[in-house]
Amino acid sequence: MPKSWTDDAPTPVVLQDHAHLRDSFAYTIKRKLLGNPLNRHSLGHQRLSKRYALGILSSDCISSSAYGSEQILIALLPAFGLAAFSILMPMTGVVLIILTIITLSYRNVINVYTKTGGAYIVSRDNFGPVVAQIAAVALMLDYIVTVAIQSAAGVAAIISTFPSMSAAKIPMILLVIGILTYGNLRGVKEAGKAFALPTYFFVGCMFIVFGMGIYRVLSGSLEVLSTSQPGAIAVGESHGLLTAAAIFILLRAFANGGSSLTGLEAISDGVALFQQPEEVNARRTLFVMSGLLGTLVLGVSWFAHRIHAMPYESGTPTVISQIAKTIVGNGVFGQTMFVMVQLATMLILFAGANTTYSAFPLLVNFVASDGYLPRQLTKRGHRLAFSNGILLLSGGGVFLVLFTAGSVEHLVAFYALGVFTGFCLAGFGMTRHALRNRTGAWKAKVFINALSGSISFFVVIIFAVVKFTEGAWLVLVTAPILVVTFLRLRRQYTREQEALLVKGEQERATSITRHDVAVLVDSVDIATVGAIRYARSLNPRNLTAVHFVIDDRRAEEIQKAWAISDALSDVTLELIDCPDRRLANSALDYAIRMTERADVELTLLLPRRAYSGFLGRLLHDQTAEDIAAPISQLPRVVATIVPFDVDRIASASQLEIHHLHDVSPAEPPVAKVKIEKPITNNTEPVSHYAENVTSISEIQWRKRAKVQGRVTSIKSAPRGAAPTLQVEIWDETGGVSLQFLGRREIAGLEVGSQMRAEGMVGEEEGSMVILNPSYELLV
C-alpha cells in the first residue's frame, strides 16, 4: 500500500465499523422471540442490600411454609384420626429444631466461603471431586423437583380460589413452567428487585391473617371446620404411638415436614450478591430468613391445629387457603383479604420456582467447568443466560409434572431426599474444614456442623425408607447412575486433554523439513481450480493432483481436460487404480505411502462441492468427510476440506453483507465539528497536550489526541520477536490502534475493558495509529 508520507496516497483514516452478514431466518425468529443479543461486557451482577437480598433469595425457602404443614397432616390423618392435629405441633417443633441447627451450620459455610458456598463447592473442597458429584446430583434433582413442586403448589393456590379451573390443572402448571423458562431465556435476572415483592407481600398477608386469627382465638370467635367434608382425606381411627406401624407413619410425617426446609442454602449460594461486607450481611439475612420461615411454619401448623384444616385428595383447597378463609371471614373485607392471601401465595411459589432458574444453571456450569458434565452447559446464550442449563431444568420439571400428574403430595416424595443430602454433605464438609484448620471456636463449629450433618443423614435414611414406594426409589436408582455417568464423562475429558497435550518433541512446529500437498480430484471444474490455487499458497515442496480411477472413461475425460487447462498446466495429475471403489481405503493407502519418510508431512486437499439442502443430498454423494475421517488419524498427515458453494453460483445469488456504515476506505469520515475560527495554513505548531477526550472519528493525523473506548483486540508479538503490543479500541464513532513498543502486556488490560489513551496520531497501512501513548485503565 502506498505510504502517506512519501506519495499521494489518501489521508489515513480511523478504523471503520465491521461488516455483518445478514441475519438468517432462524436467527431472526430467535431475535424476535428473545430480543436483541446482549453484549457480553454488560455481564455482571448488582450488589444487593439486605432487604432486597432477603426478598429475592428467600422466596424458595419461605414459600415452603405454604405446604409443609399440610404434608405432615396428609401422613398423620389416615393413621391417627383427629389426634393428628395434636401430634402436628410436636412434629412442627422437631422441624423447627432441625431448622435452627442447619441454619447455624450454614452460618459457618458463609463465614468460610464468602463468594459462593453451596454443598457442591463445600464437598469439592473438603472431600474431593468424587463426593462433590453426589452433592451435584442431589442438588440438581432438588432444583428440578423445586420447579415442578412450586409451580404445582402455585397452581393449587389458584384452583383453591377458583375451583372451576381444576380441570385445567396440568396445562396451567406447564404454562407456568413455560413462562418462567421463556422469561429466563430472555435474561430475566434473579437479582431484579421486582422479585423481592412476592416475599414481602406473602409475609405481610400471612402476618395480617395470623394477627386476626390470634384476635379471634382470644375473643372465642374462631370457627372449627368440619372434618367430614366431601373430597377431604379420610380420617382414620386413633391408636397407640409405640407400635411399629405408628412409628413408621410418624417418620413419614416427619419426612414430609422436612420439605419446609428447602431453600435454606440459597443465601450461602449467593453471598457474592450482597453489599460489602458480604459475609456479615449474608449471615444476618440468613438468620432473618430462618426466623421468618420458622414463624410461618409454626403459625400455619398452629392454626391448622386450632381449626382442624383438612387436606383434600385433589390437593385443593389447600390448608393455608382454609386457614385464611376461616380467619378473615366471608364479608367484603374477608373476601378481598382471602384473594390477596391466595395471590400472595401464588406469587411467592412462582417466585420460588424462578430462583432455581438462576441456581441450577450456575450449578451445572460449575460441574461442567470441572469436566463432569458436557461443556455446552458452560456457554452463555443469546441473552447471556446459561440457556442450555435453563432448558435442561425446564425439561426435567415438565417430566416430573407429567409423571406425578402435578400432585404436590407425590412430588414431595422426590423433594427432601436431595435437599437433605446437600445439607448432610455441607455439614460434614464444614466439620472436616474445622478439624483441618482449628481456628477460633473450632470445637463448637465441629459440634454444630457434625450435628447438622448427622441429623440430615438421619433424615435422608428415613426418607429413603418411608418414601421408597411413593417415588423415592426413582431418586435412589437415578442418583448413582448419574454419579457414575459424571465420573465417566470426566475420564473421557481427561483422556482427550492428555491426547491433545503438547509434548516436548512436538513443541517445534517447524520440525518437518518437507511439506507436500496433494489435491484429490474428481472432475476438472472451478472447485478444483480453486483448491489448486489454495494449494499453491501453502508453498509445498511438491504439488500433485490425484484421481482415484473407478471409471476408466471418466478418468480419460479428466486427463484430457487437465491437459488443455492453462490454470493447471504446472500441476502433475496422477491416476491411481481403485478396483474395489473404496475411495477412503485408497486415499489412506496413498497417504501412508507418501509419508514413509519421517521428515515428510502431507496435506491432502479435498474439494467439497456444497449443493442445496435436501435435493443436493439426493442428487450428489458426500464423500469428502468419509475420506478425511480416517486420514486425519495418521501422523504427519492433514486432511483439509475446501468448501465450494455450487448452489450459490447456480442460483446466481451473492453473499449479502450488511455494513453498519458504508464509508469508503479512501475517504475519512466527516465529523460534525463546530469550527471556532478558520484554519488559514498548515504551519501551525503541533500541540503536545490534549485537554479533552476526542471522538475517535474526529482525531487528526499528525495531531495529538486523547481518546477513550472499549478494547476489542489485543495482539502481542511472538516470543522470538521484538516485544510489541497492539491494542485496538473503539467508541461509537470508530476505532484506532494503539502501539506499545518494548512490551508484550499491560497489567490489568483485558479484551472488553475501557481504556483512555493520549498520544501523537500516526499512520500504518492507511489506518491511524497512536504510538506509545500514555494510558489509563478505567473501571
Side-chain angles (χ1 to χ4, degrees):
M1 183 174 190
K3 302 298 182 182
S4 299
W5 61 85
T6 60
D7 50 41
D8 296 328
T11 303
V13 298
V14 299
L15 302 174
Q16 303 300 324
D17 281 332
H18 305 291
H20 297 270
L21 294 175
R22 188 175 297 277
D23 293 342
S24 65
F25 176 75
Y27 186 82
T28 301
I29 296 298
K30 182 178 182 179
R31 198 179 70 240
K32 292 291 185 182
L33 290 175
L34 301 181
N36 291 323
L38 294 180
N39 190 312
R40 69 180 183 88
H41 301 296
S42 65
L43 181 65
H45 61 257
Q46 66 182 114
R47 296 283 180 163
L48 299 176
S49 64
K50 293 189 292 293
R51 67 176 183 274
Y52 281 121
L54 175 65
I56 293 164
L57 299 177
S58 66
S59 56
D60 179 20
C61 181
I62 291 178
S63 65
S64 302
S65 63
Y67 51 81
S69 302
E70 180 172 351
Q71 294 303 313
I72 295 177
L73 287 173
I74 288 174
L76 293 178
L77 282 168
F80 299 103
L82 295 181
F85 291 107
S86 299
I87 302 172
L88 175 61
M89 292 311 298
M91 189 73 69
T92 302
V94 174
V95 171
L96 296 182
I97 292 172
I98 296 174
L99 168 64
T100 303
I101 295 171
I102 294 177
T103 299
L104 293 175
S105 176
Y106 270 96
R107 176 184 181 275
N108 293 329
V109 173
I110 293 172
N111 287 336
V112 174
Y113 295 91
T114 57
K115 296 302 179 185
T116 180
Y120 177 76
I121 303 297
V122 175
S123 301
R124 186 187 65 186
D125 290 354
N126 294 285
F127 294 121
V130 176
V131 176
Q133 302 322 303
I134 300 175
V137 169
L139 291 173
M140 288 172 63
L141 294 175
D142 171 35
Y143 290 139
I144 291 173
V145 175
T146 297
V147 170
I149 197 171
Q150 299 279 60
S151 301
V155 169
I158 297 175
I159 296 175
S160 296
T161 310
F162 306 102
S164 60
M165 301 179 69
S166 59
K169 176 182 177 181
I170 298 297
M172 289 171 65
I173 297 174
L174 297 180
L175 177 63
V176 169
I177 295 177
I179 291 173
L180 292 176
T181 302
Y182 175 70
N184 282 275
L185 286 175
R186 284 186 60 93
V188 174
K189 300 292 185 182
E190 181 186 47
K193 294 180 179 180
F195 285 100
L197 175 63
T199 299
Y200 290 108
F201 186 33
F202 176 75
V203 171
C205 288
M206 291 308 300
F207 279 5
I208 291 174
V209 170
F210 291 167
M212 294 178 64
I214 292 172
Y215 171 79
R216 295 193 64 179
V217 168
L218 295 177
S219 64
S221 60
L222 185 63
E223 178 186 0
V224 176
L225 302 179
S226 170
T227 58
S228 58
Q229 294 292 333
I233 285 180
V235 178
E237 296 293 331
S238 178
H239 54 75
L241 298 178
L242 298 181
T243 64
I247 293 174
F248 182 84
I249 296 299
L250 290 173
L251 291 176
R252 186 167 68 177
F254 168 70
N256 280 6
S259 63
S260 300
L261 306 186
T262 56
L264 269 178
E265 74 285 352
I267 300 294
S268 66
D269 287 339
V271 177
L273 290 172
F274 284 83
Q275 293 178 347
Q276 294 181 343
E278 296 96 336
E279 65 274 15
V280 174
N281 290 327
R283 284 200 308 268
R284 293 173 179 171
T285 305
L286 174 66
F287 284 132
V288 173
M289 180 184 74
S290 297
L292 288 174
L293 174 63
T295 302
L296 291 171
V297 170
L298 180 62
V300 172
S301 293
W302 190 72
F303 280 108
H305 154 74
R306 293 286 304 190
I307 69 172
H308 288 182
M310 294 289 295
Y312 280 71
E313 294 283 357
S314 64
T316 55
T318 60
V319 165
I320 194 171
S321 70
Q322 295 176 61
I323 292 172
K325 193 162 191 174
T326 302
I327 290 175
V328 300
N330 294 318
V332 175
F333 172 79
Q335 290 289 344
T336 304
M337 191 65 203
F338 172 71
V339 171
M340 289 183 63
V341 170
Q342 293 303 97
L343 176 63
T345 304
M346 178 198 71
L347 289 177
I348 194 172
L349 286 166
F350 291 162
N354 184 73
T355 59
T356 62
Y357 279 90
S358 291
F360 180 90
L362 195 60
L363 170 65
V364 296
N365 170 56
F366 288 148
V367 180
S369 297
D370 291 340
Y372 293 93
L373 278 175
R375 294 284 165 79
Q376 289 87 336
L377 293 170
T378 65
K379 296 179 180 179
R380 294 187 181 271
H382 190 73
R383 302 282 292 181
L384 294 182
F386 293 109
S387 302
N388 293 326
I390 291 173
L391 293 174
L392 179 62
L393 173 65
S394 59
V398 168
F399 170 77
L400 284 181
V401 168
L402 297 177
F403 184 76
T404 61
S407 169
V408 175
E409 178 187 359
H410 292 154
L411 285 167
V412 166
F414 301 97
Y415 205 9
L417 197 57
V419 175
F420 279 91
T421 300
F423 293 163
C424 172
L425 292 174
F428 286 139
M430 292 308 300
T431 301
R432 186 165 187 177
H433 181 276
L435 289 172
R436 282 177 173 176
N437 295 275
R438 303 196 177 207
T439 57
W442 66 272
K443 293 183 178 179
K445 295 176 182 176
V446 168
F447 173 76
I448 291 173
N449 291 313
L451 182 61
S452 173
S454 300
I455 291 176
S456 299
F457 179 73
F458 179 64
V459 174
V460 169
I461 297 300
I462 292 174
F463 213 94
V465 173
V466 303
K467 291 288 186 178
F468 184 83
T469 59
E470 298 178 26
W473 65 269
L474 184 60
V475 177
L476 294 174
V477 171
T478 303
I481 295 175
L482 290 176
V483 171
V484 171
T485 302
F486 288 6
L487 297 176
R488 176 67 181 83
L489 287 174
R490 175 59 181 173
R491 285 197 297 270
Q492 179 65 22
Y493 275 128
T494 302
R495 189 181 302 113
E496 293 171 354
Q497 290 169 356
E498 290 174 351
L500 294 173
L501 187 66
V502 179
K503 300 177 176 61
E505 64 273 13
Q506 299 170 332
E507 287 187 349
R508 294 293 295 173
T510 59
S511 59
I512 302 298
T513 59
R514 175 174 168 178
H515 178 215
D516 296 337
V517 176
V519 181
L520 302 190
V521 175
D522 185 48
S523 62
V524 180
D525 55 17
I526 190 67
T528 301
V529 173
I532 293 293
R533 185 183 300 117
Y534 172 65
R536 292 193 186 102
S537 70
L538 299 178
N539 296 321
R541 180 170 177 175
N542 290 321
L543 172 57
T544 308
V546 177
H547 173 69
F548 295 108
V549 180
I550 58 177
D551 184 329
D552 292 330
R553 180 175 297 179
R554 181 172 179 80
E556 183 179 351
E557 292 173 354
I558 291 174
Q559 194 172 23
K560 289 180 180 179
W562 196 274
I564 63 175
S565 174
D566 293 334
L568 308 172
S569 60
D570 61 334
V571 180
T572 301
L573 174 64
E574 181 178 359
L575 303 180
I576 299 177
D577 189 25
C578 183
D580 59 359
R581 299 169 303 284
R582 299 175 67 185
L583 294 177
N585 276 6
S586 297
L588 190 66
D589 181 68
Y590 174 80
I592 294 173
R593 181 158 45 87
M594 298 302 295
T595 56
E596 288 179 347
R597 293 179 54 181
D599 63 341
V600 176
E601 184 176 51
L602 177 67
T603 296
L604 283 178
L605 299 183
L606 296 88
R608 183 182 65 185
R609 298 156 183 83
Y611 301 93
S612 60
F614 173 76
L615 189 59
R617 289 191 295 270
L618 182 66
L619 299 179
H620 305 276
D621 59 359
Q622 303 291 323
T623 57
E625 287 84 357
D626 296 336
I627 296 174
I631 289 176
S632 63
Q633 301 176 30
L634 296 175
R636 295 177 288 109
V637 179
V638 177
T640 302
I641 295 176
V642 183
F644 193 82
D645 194 344
V646 177
D647 184 57
R648 179 176 59 84
I649 297 178
S651 60
S653 63
Q654 297 292 327
L655 181 65
E656 295 184 359
I657 299 178
H658 171 62
H659 295 270
L660 296 182
H661 297 288
D662 292 323
V663 180
S664 171
E667 298 177 2
V670 178
K672 297 180 180 179
V673 182
K674 181 179 180 181
I675 306 296
E676 298 295 341
K677 62 179 181 178
I679 300 175
T680 58
N681 56 60
N682 295 325
T683 60
E684 62 180 11
V686 176
S687 170
H688 291 281
Y689 176 72
E691 182 176 356
N692 298 318
V693 173
T694 305
S695 298
I696 291 178
S697 65
E698 299 178 6
I699 64 176
Q700 299 179 36
W701 183 37
R702 295 178 177 173
K703 299 284 186 179
R704 197 168 182 85
K706 180 188 288 186
V707 296
Q708 178 178 324
R710 183 171 60 85
V711 176
T712 61
S713 172
I714 301 174
K715 181 170 64 177
S716 59
R719 187 175 62 181
T724 59
L725 180 69
Q726 183 168 318
V727 179
E728 191 175 298
I729 67 171
W730 285 71
D731 65 8
E732 294 83 359
T733 63
V736 67
S737 293
L738 314 176
Q739 289 191 359
F740 298 89
L741 304 181
R743 65 195 310 172
R744 287 192 172 89
E745 63 179 358
I746 294 176
L749 180 65
E750 299 176 347
V751 173
S753 57
Q754 290 286 326
M755 187 178 193
R756 182 179 297 154
E758 180 185 355
M760 187 65 68
V761 181
E763 181 266 357
E764 182 181 41
E765 298 295 333
S767 297
M768 292 187 185
V769 297
I770 301 179
L771 187 64
N772 277 339
S774 59
Y775 66 90
E776 179 184 1
L777 299 181
L778 306 177
V779 179

